[in-house]
Amino acid sequence: MEEMGFRPWQKGSLHGWLTAAVRLLFLLLACSVVATVREVRGNEYPGVQLKVQNNQVVTDNGIVEITFSNPDGMVTGIKFNGIDNLLEARNKEADRGYWDIVWNRPEEASMFTRIEGTTFKVVANTDDIVELSFVSSWSNSSESYLAPLIIDKRFVVRRGSSGFYGYAIFNHPKGWPDLDIGEARIAFKLNGQKFRYMAISDERQRVMPTDEDRASGRVLDYKEAVLLTGPSNSELEGEVDDKYQYSCENQENKVHGWISSDPPVGFWMITPSDESHTAGPVKQDLTSHIGPTTLNVFYSNHYAGKDVSMSFRNGEAWKKVYGPFMVYVNSVSPEEDQSKLWADAKGQMLMETASWPYDFISSDDYPSAAGRGTVSGQLSVRDRYMENRDMAAGSAYVGLAAPGEVGSWQTNTKGYQFWTRADENGSFEIKNVRPGIYGLYAWVPGFIGDYKYHLNVMVKPGSEIQVDPLVFSPPRSGPTLWEIGIPDRTAAEFYVPLPNPRFMNNLSKNGIGERFRQYGLWDRYSELYPKNDLVYTVGVDNYHRDWFFAHVTRKTGNSTYVPTTWRIDFHLQNVNFRGTYRLQMAVASATLSRISIGVNNLSQQPPSSTGRFGNDNAIARHGIHGLYWTFGFDVPGSRLRRGTNSIYLAQSSSARTPFEGVMYDYIRFEGPPRMN
Ligand SMILES: *[C@@H]1O[C@H](CO)[C@@H](O)[C@H](O)[C@H]1NC(C)=O
Ligand SMILES: *[C@@H]1O[C@H](CO)[C@@H](O)[C@H](O)[C@H]1NC(C)=O
Ligand SMILES: *[C@@H]1O[C@H](CO)[C@@H](O)[C@H](O)[C@H]1NC(C)=O
Ligand SMILES: *[C@@H]1O[C@H](CO)[C@@H](O)[C@H](O)[C@H]1NC(C)=O
Ligand SMILES: *[C@@H]1O[C@H](CO)[C@@H](O)[C@H](O)[C@H]1NC(C)=O
């Protein structure tokens, strides 16, 4: 950062053309001086030092000094830029930088366990790189709080690098006892005296309350949400704190972290690839939140529920590398704009992403570029009710995941996933794929449903696989009579209200940010529709304004809720009484829901219903989507009439909480098939 310390000439000391010429000269001189300094420094980065002591291991590359407990492999200290420890030294050593899991034996209660190494090994030790391994093993005689897994926690320190790398190899050998895993992540608890400003994206940045502020606040509808009353920073009075407001999708989770202003230092979690994260590119999870805490959550069932589970039965063998990620630290001089720390962290993220897969990782379980393959092809969409010719699957999401059913990637937890976006013509190239056998999956914004290639794809080191032209035929049985929403797997295009002013929260640099992340929106439905439920009239109403983003329960007072029934009114000029119409329904999230469909009659026989579905809890967690579902319901023409018709969407779940409900993605009513 030495070039940032350079101070140019004083403004106004020279005039006219002379000013310009002198400035140019100064600039040239200054640049060459700075460049020389940097070059010399570049060569002078000291080799990485390693000190192994009885109960700790210390690495020092002249930029950052890191201390690990031995053999536990907890990160206990990070010394950087004059700060003795970027981590919270008031916490116990095991509670500063650690891997943890939530797990259980079958049918038993789940436990939170920090992963403690039992053996320590130096895997690489040169001037250029040190790689450490802390292995936590298990045997029949282990303490009962230990999971039957072998977990190898690796840390890598490189010469000249402002930070360090980490990854973990999880191994459940064949024949080992059964277990379920509910969460696997690494957590860093930062120095609370220093880190007060959090950044998740360009917009999502703010001064944060402290752990103590949270402890003295008032718990709201659930324990994660707290109303701040009398926080140390009075500007935060009346805000809500809830860590789920800072979640993001895997595909966006590239860099997030914290800034200290005295001295100005940044601490960043960089994720160059989400191949080892769980359940695909749009799965959401926590990032950084109050504490100050910075996470890398590799697996959890947040925004998904028990549909995304990880169970090992009958001695199933499993091995997976989580990461590597990079912890990046940076600094500027006190006079400088601290927003440079975020900009610089983004720059580092781009460099890390460009050098993926890394070529400096020692484990054979992490293949380098030469040990990986490429899969490419072109996808088009066939929907004869939209176009006579096949359409390019522009911007399609195309990915490789464990072989399974259509759409199974969104619940797949054990394997790696490799996703890309197709170009405007539907052409795609998936690079750096680990060897293995995969299903090839896709979905296309603008169309409902999921695509899966009928063959599995086998990737070997160096493979360059070109698949046949792929054609996706989305669900469709007749011409569109009307539609509500945009098929994009979220409810973001619908009406998302402003929060209750009592729970307003400045989640972004410029105020409240994305509305759907605000607390308490579920109760806004009861305020907007205190007696009668939502009625949407096709051709008159506008879904941006008139379709509430979540079909929730209604509050009737005293924490009691009732199921609600929405109605869609539409006009039919003509009816084919012997034809079969179809209601296509794509759902972006569901929690303990069941939606019954009625056509001109709420108690129609036989009933049409989604059945009970969904556990993603995305309404309470401020996700604008959870898992994706599609349903199709045939409607006999005999149920319809000329003129005004109504379709009822009736909740028939228990409605015990305000969080039960669905977020629709898109609804379409189709006429009978054309005769060809
Ligand atoms: C644990 O003990 C059981 C019975 O004593 C034995 O069958 C099993 O192989 C042992 N498993 C491991 C992983 O040592
Ligand atoms: C898409 O196809 C058109 C027509 O062949 C071509 O001009 C265009 O460059 C293609 N786009 C990309 C991103 O390759
Ligand atoms: C949010 O920010 C706005 C403008 O920056 C400010 O007027 C308002 O008081 C803040 N609200 C809270 C709850 O802090
Ligand atoms: C709310 O609870 C109070 C006390 O339990 C009761 O008197 C009142 O009738 C309840 N109100 C409603 C709307 O259920
Ligand atoms: C609705 O359907 C039920 C069951 O088929 C029937 O008994 C009832 O008459 C219908 N109501 C109307 C208004 O058509």
Side-chain angles (χ1 to χ4, degrees):
M1 295 286 150
E2 59 276 12
E3 74 278 18
M4 290 184 173
F6 168 69
R7 284 284 159 275
W9 50 86
Q10 292 294 310
K11 244 188 167 172
S13 59
L14 291 164
H15 305 279
W17 63 269
L18 189 62
T19 314
V22 170
R23 279 189 180 181
L24 187 62
L25 190 65
F26 267 56
L27 197 65
L28 288 171
L29 266 173
C31 286
S32 65
V33 169
V34 170
T36 312
V37 169
R38 285 164 101 188
E39 201 174 307
V40 171
R41 290 229 182 141
N43 290 341
E44 274 184 357
Y45 281 126
V48 186
Q49 302 291 308
L50 173 66
K51 271 181 283 178
V52 178
Q53 296 158 351
N54 259 352
N55 49 19
Q56 64 177 30
V57 178
V58 182
T59 64
D60 187 354
N61 67 358
I63 300 170
V64 56
E65 182 192 284
I66 306 156
T67 307
F68 305 88
S69 56
N70 180 12
D72 310 31
M74 306 297 180
V75 186
T76 61
I78 301 175
K79 188 170 178 176
F80 174 69
N81 197 52
I83 302 183
D84 213 42
N85 199 346
L86 301 184
L87 303 181
E88 181 51 83
R90 292 175 298 183
N91 287 8
K92 286 192 293 213
E93 291 207 334
D95 190 26
R96 298 178 190 172
Y98 55 88
W99 281 90
D100 64 62
I101 57 172
V102 172
W103 72 283
N104 62 274
R105 295 184 188 82
E107 316 306 327
E108 291 185 15
S110 64
M111 285 178 273
F112 168 87
T113 305
R114 289 188 178 83
I115 309 303
E116 295 168 10
T118 46
T119 49
F120 164 66
K121 211 167 66 182
V122 179
V123 180
N125 184 10
T126 68
D127 279 351
D128 286 330
I129 190 162
V130 164
E131 179 162 344
L132 309 175
S133 156
F134 300 90
V135 177
S136 141
S137 197
W138 176 92
S139 76
N140 266 351
S141 55
S142 289
E143 298 283 355
S144 61
Y145 69 87
L146 293 177
L149 293 167
I150 302 170
I151 300 174
D152 186 353
K153 300 187 292 180
R154 300 288 186 100
F155 296 98
V156 181
V157 179
R158 305 179 74 199
R159 189 211 287 256
S161 169
S162 192
F164 62 98
Y165 299 84
Y167 64 106
I169 307 159
F170 277 56
N171 185 7
H172 184 254
K174 188 168 173 9
W176 278 35
D178 294 348
L179 81 157
D180 302 328
I181 303 179
E183 185 169 87
R185 58 173 205 178
I186 188 164
F188 290 95
K189 305 263 182 80
L190 307 187
N191 184 327
Q193 306 289 331
K194 298 286 178 194
F195 291 97
R196 293 285 169 87
Y197 188 87
M198 191 175 83
I200 312 267
S201 74
D202 288 341
E203 290 300 316
R204 301 171 76 190
Q205 304 192 3
R206 57 168 295 165
V207 173
M208 289 291 284
T210 64
D211 245 355
E212 293 75 28
D213 295 340
R214 207 186 133 82
S216 65
R218 180 162 69 80
V219 174
L220 297 171
D221 278 2
Y222 45 81
K223 69 180 189 331
E224 290 85 355
V226 165
L227 182 68
L228 302 174
T229 54
S232 49
N233 176 350
S234 61
E235 283 174 19
L236 304 180
E237 175 72 33
E239 288 214 27
V240 174
D241 181 69
D242 179 345
K243 62 187 174 184
Y244 291 97
Q245 294 182 316
Y246 304 107
S247 294
C248 79
E249 293 179 347
N250 284 340
Q251 64 179 347
E252 300 167 336
N253 188 351
K254 299 283 181 208
V255 53
H256 58 88
W258 290 80
I259 288 174
S260 148
S261 53
D262 181 24
V265 162
F267 180 101
W268 308 105
M269 173 60 70
I270 292 180
T271 307
S273 159
D274 60 3
E275 67 183 35
S276 66
H277 283 92
T278 299
V282 296
K283 165 77 163 63
Q284 298 172 88
D285 225 310
L286 299 172
T287 57
S288 284
H289 59 78
I290 206 171
T293 302
T294 288
L295 302 174
N296 201 327
V297 184
F298 289 95
Y299 163 61
S300 84
N301 54 21
H302 293 145
Y303 302 93
K306 64 181 192 300
D307 292 304
V308 173
S309 62
M310 183 149 67
S311 297
F312 300 93
R313 294 291 181 273
N314 305 316
E316 178 186 349
W318 172 72
K319 198 183 218 187
K320 185 167 177 179
V321 175
Y322 287 124
F325 58 85
M326 183 194 195
V327 168
Y328 178 62
V329 293
N330 58 4
S331 64
V332 288
S333 66
E335 304 83 57
E336 265 168 320
D337 183 351
Q338 290 172 21
S339 66
K340 284 183 178 166
L341 294 168
W342 166 249
D344 176 62
K346 281 202 303 181
Q348 187 71 29
M349 177 274 284
L350 292 176
M351 288 196 287
E352 298 302 324
T353 307
S355 49
W356 188 272
Y358 292 144
D359 59 5
F360 54 83
I361 299 296
S362 290
S363 170
D364 292 338
D365 293 312
Y366 177 81
S368 63
R372 297 175 178 232
T374 299
V375 176
S376 55
Q378 188 169 23
L379 177 69
S380 49
V381 183
R382 182 169 300 162
D383 183 336
R384 292 290 177 257
Y385 289 97
M386 288 177 75
E387 289 279 345
N388 282 330
R389 288 184 308 176
D390 291 352
M391 295 167 276
S395 303
Y397 284 78
V398 188
L400 298 165
E405 299 294 305
V406 176
S408 58
W409 56 269
Q410 72 166 348
T411 54
N412 179 266
T413 53
K414 292 177 185 169
Y416 301 94
Q417 299 202 17
F418 300 87
W419 286 86
T420 193
R421 300 291 296 271
D423 68 14
E424 57 185 308
N425 298 324
S427 295
F428 62 87
E429 184 179 33
I430 308 173
K431 293 182 194 153
N432 299 317
V433 182
R434 285 166 163 264
I437 296 174
Y438 296 95
L440 174 56
Y441 304 90
W443 86 93
V444 190
F447 299 89
I448 55 172
D450 268 283
Y451 172 78
K452 182 176 187 256
Y453 185 41
H454 68 282
L455 299 174
N456 286 336
V457 180
M458 189 193 285
V459 177
K460 296 181 184 154
S463 290
E464 288 188 12
I465 297 168
Q466 174 84 36
V467 295
D468 296 335
L470 310 174
V471 180
F472 169 43
S473 297
R476 166 73 79 176
S477 61
T480 299
L481 299 183
W482 50 261
E483 56 188 348
I484 298 172
I486 303 167
D488 63 355
R489 300 185 177 229
T490 84
E493 71 271 30
F494 296 129
Y495 178 65
V496 182
L498 279 169
N500 182 325
R502 289 194 302 130
F503 303 126
M504 197 81 87
N505 196 358
N506 282 342
L507 293 172
S508 105
K509 272 200 305 207
N510 305 312
I512 69 167
E514 290 161 309
R515 278 193 199 181
F516 65 81
R517 298 189 195 278
Q518 294 289 322
Y519 173 83
L521 302 185
W522 45 87
D523 280 344
R524 301 304 265 177
Y525 179 79
S526 311
E527 293 158 24
L528 278 165
Y529 302 92
K531 287 204 177 69
N532 300 318
D533 280 326
L534 183 148
V535 176
Y536 185 91
T537 305
V538 171
V540 174
D541 288 330
N542 170 340
Y543 60 76
H544 298 298
R545 205 183 47 214
D546 303 311
W547 187 268
F548 198 77
F549 77 105
H551 186 170
V552 288
T553 53
R554 179 189 294 105
K555 190 172 190 163
T556 52
N558 285 8
S559 304
T560 55
Y561 295 86
V562 293
T564 55
T565 297
W566 288 12
R567 197 177 90 210
I568 303 165
D569 287 346
F570 58 100
H571 186 84
L572 292 179
Q573 196 82 40
N574 297 298
V575 176
N576 176 347
F577 294 104
R578 278 181 295 189
T580 301
Y581 293 67
R582 196 165 171 86
L583 184 73
Q584 306 279 10
M585 192 166 101
V587 172
S589 163
T591 301
L592 303 176
S593 294
R594 180 163 55 211
I595 303 293
S596 298
I597 315 297
V599 178
N600 289 327
N601 184 342
L602 242 172
S603 50
Q604 92 190 13
Q605 294 300 328
S608 288
S609 149
T610 58
R612 201 168 168 80
F613 75 121
N615 295 279
D616 65 41
N617 211 21
I619 293 170
R621 300 311 194 202
H622 334 284
I624 194 66
H625 70 87
L627 295 183
Y628 177 73
W629 309 79
T630 51
F631 300 92
F633 302 98
D634 282 342
V635 176
S638 56
R639 291 239 174 89
L640 297 166
R641 53 194 178 220
R642 286 197 193 93
T644 297
N645 291 266
S646 297
I647 285 182
Y648 298 91
L649 303 172
Q651 284 187 328
S652 49
S653 51
S654 58
R656 271 190 297 261
T657 76
F659 315 119
E660 289 169 32
V662 306
M663 289 187 242
Y664 298 101
D665 167 34
Y666 171 78
I667 297 174
R668 181 169 71 215
F669 195 56
E670 297 171 353
R674 274 198 302 250
M675 296 301 153
N676 289 314

